Amino acid sequence: MAAAAARWNHVWVGTETGILKGVNLQRKQAANFTAGGQPRREEAVSALCWGTGGETQILVGCADRTVKHFSTEDGIFQGQRHCPGGEGTFRGLAQADGTLITCVDSGILRVWHDKDKDTSSDPLLELRVGPGVCRMRQDPAHPHVVATGGKENALKIWDLQGSEEPVFRAKNVRNDWLDLRVPIWDQDIQFLPGSQKLVTCTGYHQVRVYDPASPQRRPVLETTYGEYPLTAMTLTPGGNSVIVGNTHGQLAEIDLRQGRLLGCLKGLAGSVRGLQCHPSKPLLASCGLDRVLRIHRIQNPRGLEHKDEPQEPQEPNKVPLEDTETDELWASLEAAAKRKLSDLEQTQGALQTRRRKKKRPGSTSP
Amino acid sequence: MAKAGDKSSSSGKKSLKRKAAAEELQEAAGAGDVATESGVQPPKAAAFPPGFSISEIKNKERRHLMFTRWKQQQRKEKLAAKKKLKKEREALGDKAPPKPVPKTIDNQRVYDETTVDPNDEEVAYDEATDEFASYFNKQTSPKILITTSDRPHGRTVRLCEQLSTVIPNSHVYYRRGLALKKIIPQCIARDFTDLIVINEDRKTPNGLILSHLPGPTAHFMSSVRLRKEIKRRGKDPTEHIPEIILNNFTTRLGHSIGRMFASLFPHNPQFIGRQVATFHNQRDYIFFRFHRYIFRSEKKVGIQELGPRFTLKLRSLQKGTFDSKYGEYEWVHKPREMDTSRRKFHL
């Protein structure tokens, strides 16, 4: 029962109180999962990523420096390990070939053996990336390649099987028109599929594309959006554009071929903390400090598809949308979106009571 | 006399009107369809050809007359209907159906999904551990710094002084051109818990920034009435700690703001002194009033309004201290997206 409940969740969201929420968009319900049974602020989720075995396991990085394994099949937290070293919260979490890669705020990047119950053990590899890291991202095509960037910490690409020096170190752009140094603050990084390029979005409202294959270390393309720091970014299924969100809750789609703004998405009232596009369908899930998970349709027509109120302090970090087995689910979801307002009555604060009525044990685990 | 003259002239006009109507009718009936009705003095509406409306009359005076006559008739019909309904109610007595409640915007409010359910454990947990928890657990008591934007004028200065009498344990300081980002670390070092900045524009206060020091910052638009401008007010407030009333903060956002206001005043359920500060939220506007009450008997209370009176509207709520450029906003008011429906409110 719990397995069935956990498996049908389309979007996984981590929150500031340490609860992992699985949202089932078809039934428009959210299920809470906690490791300890009680939400705790020390366990605030700061990073999420899929584990091995293709979307059956989620690795949850918490503020108290533990990484928990959560199984979507069984709906319970299977184990955890403590990853000490460095200061600050996790900024990036990844898994590669049976190893776990973590990066913390103070710049310590460590690779650990990924045995489930292994709570001790020294890291296999440790790198110092530089202080003030805001994001570490793994290249989906090459699992041993990671990129890091942060505040006053330029973009660097590291090959974990190679040397201790970064493979690519980005150079800052030229001084601006007042001949002042342009500050660096990389908030989010994404690898573009099909090539070696990377996109970053910065806290100074710039979006930049870097190409390590080209001889220039400066960004190949740079555009700006808005006046507020961009906090989250995701690639669209087409691969030619990205969607960025800023601290005011404005979401914009930016085309990377020309650097143009394609359009904006509205609805969010708070700072955007997590964005994730569906791998094939033009749907975007967004969540932010205003405690609401929203699903948007990116084109034809652009609009809000679904809104979910978890009634929780959300500093959610997101995880890729599951590509659930059947397309029928998604098709029915899109059909459901036509009658937009009816969604809202179902996702009330009485989610909990609804759950109890339906006897769905997707609630807090033992 | 004049009255009779008027009457005759108006009735004269009316009879003229009727004659004119009759003429029109006769013209219209030239085709011969309504030949039978043309002889009788026709009542105005029934005899006109269908699809005719008063607005098609080209003559302005005649059109106006026709319209006023139509309006009077409508009013008469409405009154008659009301009387009839009232008689029916009286006749039925107790068995009459209940009176229908008139629709108001507050009645028709679109249900907000973030309305807090009192039994919601997640929200309860969140509130138990957020930045205001230490205040509500009586571990810290508030100490407030009130200041203004640079170079304040008279009204703003007086508002600050009056606010400092309303809020206990508060201190007013002149701004003198200091940057807020520099003031904030100093406040934290001196154990202040809250900072209020009153923004001024063209000699009147128009904005308020309320910053709970390590935590959220709220920015409001406001309008103000000072103490001397309040009619029939009582004497100045004393040093007693006032009670607080927070009304109608139902949504999750409303809860946060309500807690912010509550954390300005010392948390002490034993009330001495009969002063009360009220923050009443209606349709996203927060009304602040300050009264002194006295119970004349069990059910009768007398109140005197003291103190300044102002209205606030939330513009944004920011996590962390005041940083308008790089701060992260928990809620921002976006007029084009949020104000599309007259019945949807956020607080």
Side-chain angles (χ1 to χ4, degrees):
Chain A
M1 287 282 278
R7 213 155 26 92
W8 287 113
N9 287 320
H10 298 142
V11 185
W12 294 94
V13 187
T15 64
E16 200 188 41
T17 49
I19 300 179
L20 181 69
K21 289 178 185 262
V23 180
N24 186 331
L25 296 170
Q26 207 198 8
R27 296 200 204 184
K28 305 196 175 70
Q29 282 184 331
N32 286 355
F33 302 99
T34 47
Q38 269 295 343
R40 281 169 43 203
R41 251 185 219 255
E42 301 83 37
E43 291 177 6
V45 174
S46 51
L48 284 177
C49 82
W50 288 111
T52 48
E55 301 197 353
T56 51
Q57 245 204 12
I58 301 181
L59 299 173
V60 179
C62 299
D64 57 354
R65 316 285 291 295
T66 55
V67 176
K68 300 184 164 75
H69 297 260
F70 176 79
S71 156
T72 55
E73 298 286 318
D74 304 326
I76 50 170
F77 278 89
Q78 282 177 335
Q80 67 176 42
R81 57 178 303 145
H82 189 60
C83 301
E87 292 168 356
T89 64
F90 286 118
R91 294 291 186 180
L93 207 60
Q95 204 171 48
D97 303 334
T99 57
L100 177 70
I101 312 171
T102 62
C103 183
V104 288
D105 200 24
S106 64
I108 311 271
L109 189 147
R110 287 183 167 185
V111 182
W112 310 77
H113 255 309
D114 187 35
K115 285 182 221 149
D116 264 342
K117 309 300 175 196
D118 204 304
T119 49
S120 63
S121 94
D122 297 321
L124 289 175
L125 177 64
E126 178 171 323
L127 290 174
R128 284 185 190 278
V129 179
V133 173
C134 286
R135 180 69 74 173
M136 177 204 74
R137 192 69 87 162
Q138 184 192 37
D139 188 350
H142 308 106
H144 52 90
V145 172
V146 294
T148 59
K151 188 152 191 172
E152 296 308 324
N153 187 339
L155 178 70
K156 298 182 183 85
I157 301 185
W158 305 85
D159 188 345
L160 298 172
Q161 291 169 348
S163 67
E164 293 255 330
E165 287 296 317
V167 171
F168 173 77
R169 189 195 290 263
K171 196 168 166 182
N172 195 6
V173 293
R174 291 205 167 87
N175 287 350
D176 63 9
W177 61 292
L178 290 170
D179 202 22
L180 294 171
R181 176 187 172 265
V182 176
I184 304 176
W185 187 4
D186 286 322
Q187 289 257 35
D188 202 350
I189 310 173
Q190 288 279 354
F191 279 87
L192 285 173
S195 72
Q196 277 190 318
K197 296 191 206 169
L198 304 138
V199 197
T200 63
C201 72
T202 69
Y204 299 109
H205 45 85
Q206 299 147 331
V207 177
R208 294 172 167 165
V209 178
Y210 292 87
D211 191 356
S214 77
Q216 77 176 45
R217 285 165 55 204
R218 289 204 164 116
V220 169
L221 177 72
E222 178 174 352
T223 44
T224 58
Y225 169 69
E227 327 159 324
Y228 298 102
L230 302 174
T231 48
M233 185 167 71
T234 181
L235 298 168
T236 50
N240 289 323
S241 55
V242 286
I243 299 190
V244 293
N246 68 5
T247 54
H248 255 223
Q250 294 159 342
L251 293 172
E253 185 175 357
I254 296 183
D255 185 293
L256 293 174
R257 294 173 288 189
Q258 286 198 322
R260 258 186 344 128
L261 175 70
L262 287 178
C264 292
L265 296 158
K266 62 180 186 177
L268 262 95
S271 169
V272 177
R273 281 294 178 107
L275 284 177
Q276 193 68 46
C277 261
H278 191 278
S280 49
K281 295 190 189 247
L283 293 170
L284 169 77
S286 72
C287 56
L289 290 180
D290 61 346
R291 304 182 172 137
V292 179
L293 172 73
R294 287 179 172 88
I295 313 285
H296 306 257
R297 245 189 336 269
I298 309 178
Q299 57 251 75
N300 311 325
R302 204 186 283 275
L304 186 64
E305 175 140 323
H306 176 72
K307 193 163 139 181
D308 186 27
E309 309 272 345
Q311 265 318 0
E312 248 269 328
Q314 288 244 15
E315 275 193 20
N317 298 296
K318 305 273 314 311
V319 129
L321 291 176
E322 280 188 23
D323 198 2
T324 50
E325 301 121 356
T326 51
D327 277 332
E328 293 147 15
L329 280 175
W330 286 102
S332 61
L333 177 62
E334 287 167 24
K338 302 290 189 287
R339 34 172 189 92
K340 260 180 208 170
L341 291 174
S342 58
D343 302 348
L344 298 178
E345 7 172 10
Q346 297 191 30
T347 61
Q348 298 167 12
L351 272 178
Q352 311 230 351
T353 48
R354 270 190 100 224
R355 267 192 305 184
R356 269 182 250 129
K357 271 188 216 162
K358 282 203 171 184
K359 295 201 180 72
R360 284 166 59 86
S363 50
T364 58
S365 61
Chain B
M1 284 146 13
K3 260 195 193 171
D6 277 352
K7 262 196 188 160
S8 64
S9 68
S10 64
S11 62
K13 260 193 187 167
K14 281 198 181 156
S15 56
L16 242 179
K17 255 320 219 155
R18 281 214 193 88
K19 277 192 198 146
E23 281 170 20
E24 282 178 15
L25 183 59
Q26 277 162 9
E27 287 166 10
D33 280 349
V34 278
T36 47
E37 295 172 282
S38 57
V40 186
Q41 275 287 349
K44 2 175 232 320
F48 286 118
F52 175 84
S53 84
I54 301 177
S55 57
E56 284 174 17
I57 303 175
K58 297 298 178 185
N59 184 333
K60 186 171 173 178
E61 280 194 34
R62 217 179 274 173
R63 186 171 67 230
H64 180 68
L65 261 166
M66 292 292 280
F67 179 72
T68 31
R69 244 200 294 159
W70 177 80
K71 264 300 214 194
Q72 282 167 358
Q73 200 203 20
Q74 294 288 92
R75 223 176 289 146
K76 248 199 259 178
E77 282 172 11
K78 192 172 170 189
L79 262 164
K82 258 195 192 169
K83 261 193 182 168
K84 193 170 150 219
L85 200 61
K86 195 169 172 193
K87 271 201 176 140
E88 280 175 9
R89 286 190 84 87
E90 280 173 16
L92 281 177
D94 280 335
K95 290 179 287 185
K99 272 193 176 174
V101 178
K103 290 190 208 172
T104 62
I105 292 188
D106 295 309
N107 273 346
Q108 308 290 95
R109 177 175 179 174
V110 165
Y111 177 73
D112 195 329
E113 306 103 357
T114 54
T115 309
V116 175
D117 181 17
N119 304 326
D120 198 335
E121 357 172 291
E122 289 179 15
V123 175
Y125 174 74
D126 181 32
E127 294 195 343
T129 52
D130 71 357
E131 292 97 351
F132 302 109
S134 65
Y135 161 80
F136 282 102
N137 292 336
K138 299 201 187 140
Q139 287 162 2
T140 50
S141 77
K143 188 173 170 194
I144 298 157
L145 177 69
I146 304 182
T147 183
T148 65
S149 55
D150 202 19
R151 296 195 154 260
H153 284 87
R155 275 186 78 95
T156 316
V157 171
R158 265 174 275 142
L159 175 66
C160 287
E161 287 167 21
Q162 291 177 6
L163 260 184
S164 71
T165 56
V166 167
I167 306 178
N169 206 7
S170 60
H171 308 263
V172 182
Y173 286 93
Y174 279 122
R175 179 76 174 273
R176 286 171 175 269
L178 298 167
L180 270 182
K181 291 197 193 165
K182 297 209 177 116
I183 297 181
I184 287 173
Q186 295 218 354
C187 283
I188 299 181
R190 280 161 220 237
D191 277 341
F192 278 94
T193 56
D194 292 89
L195 172 69
I196 299 182
V197 181
I198 297 182
N199 192 48
E200 184 189 351
D201 182 47
R202 291 171 70 111
K203 305 185 190 163
T204 49
N206 74 342
L208 189 115
I209 298 175
L210 171 58
S211 181
H212 190 76
L213 276 172
T217 305
H219 176 41
F220 300 93
M221 293 292 288
S222 81
S223 86
V224 169
R225 192 173 289 194
L226 295 176
R227 208 166 263 160
K228 62 178 190 173
E229 295 159 4
I230 299 179
K231 300 188 177 157
R232 290 182 279 279
R233 66 179 180 91
K235 294 203 184 135
D236 288 328
T238 56
E239 291 291 321
H240 298 115
I241 298 176
E243 281 178 57
I244 319 163
I245 297 180
L246 293 164
N247 264 344
N248 215 3
F249 287 97
T250 49
T251 64
R252 187 71 190 81
L253 181 66
H255 255 244
S256 314
I257 303 282
R259 283 164 72 83
M260 266 187 104
F261 285 128
S263 71
L264 288 177
F265 296 88
H267 192 79
N268 185 4
Q270 313 300 331
F271 299 122
I272 336 167
R274 293 177 270 110
Q275 295 177 141
V276 56
T278 309
F279 290 91
H280 174 83
N281 171 35
Q282 188 157 350
R283 300 195 198 175
D284 280 356
Y285 284 88
I286 302 173
F287 298 94
F288 172 82
R289 301 283 183 271
F290 192 63
H291 295 277
R292 182 181 287 141
Y293 62 87
I294 177 163
F295 277 100
R296 298 192 207 284
S297 69
E298 269 251 347
K299 302 222 170 172
K300 283 173 88 173
V301 195
I303 52 173
Q304 273 183 343
E305 183 161 6
L306 329 166
R309 178 199 274 197
F310 51 88
T311 315
L312 299 172
K313 183 166 197 219
L314 181 67
R315 266 174 93 178
S316 66
L317 178 63
Q318 201 179 76
K319 224 172 168 59
T321 58
F322 179 73
D323 186 353
S324 61
K325 222 167 148 201
Y326 300 121
E328 290 203 327
Y329 284 87
E330 206 174 306
W331 189 81
V332 172
H333 180 252
K334 296 185 177 171
R336 295 194 77 184
E337 285 179 32
M338 296 183 182
D339 284 347
T340 45
S341 162
R342 297 180 77 169
R343 288 175 242 118
K344 183 160 176 54
F345 306 112
H346 307 279
L347 263 190

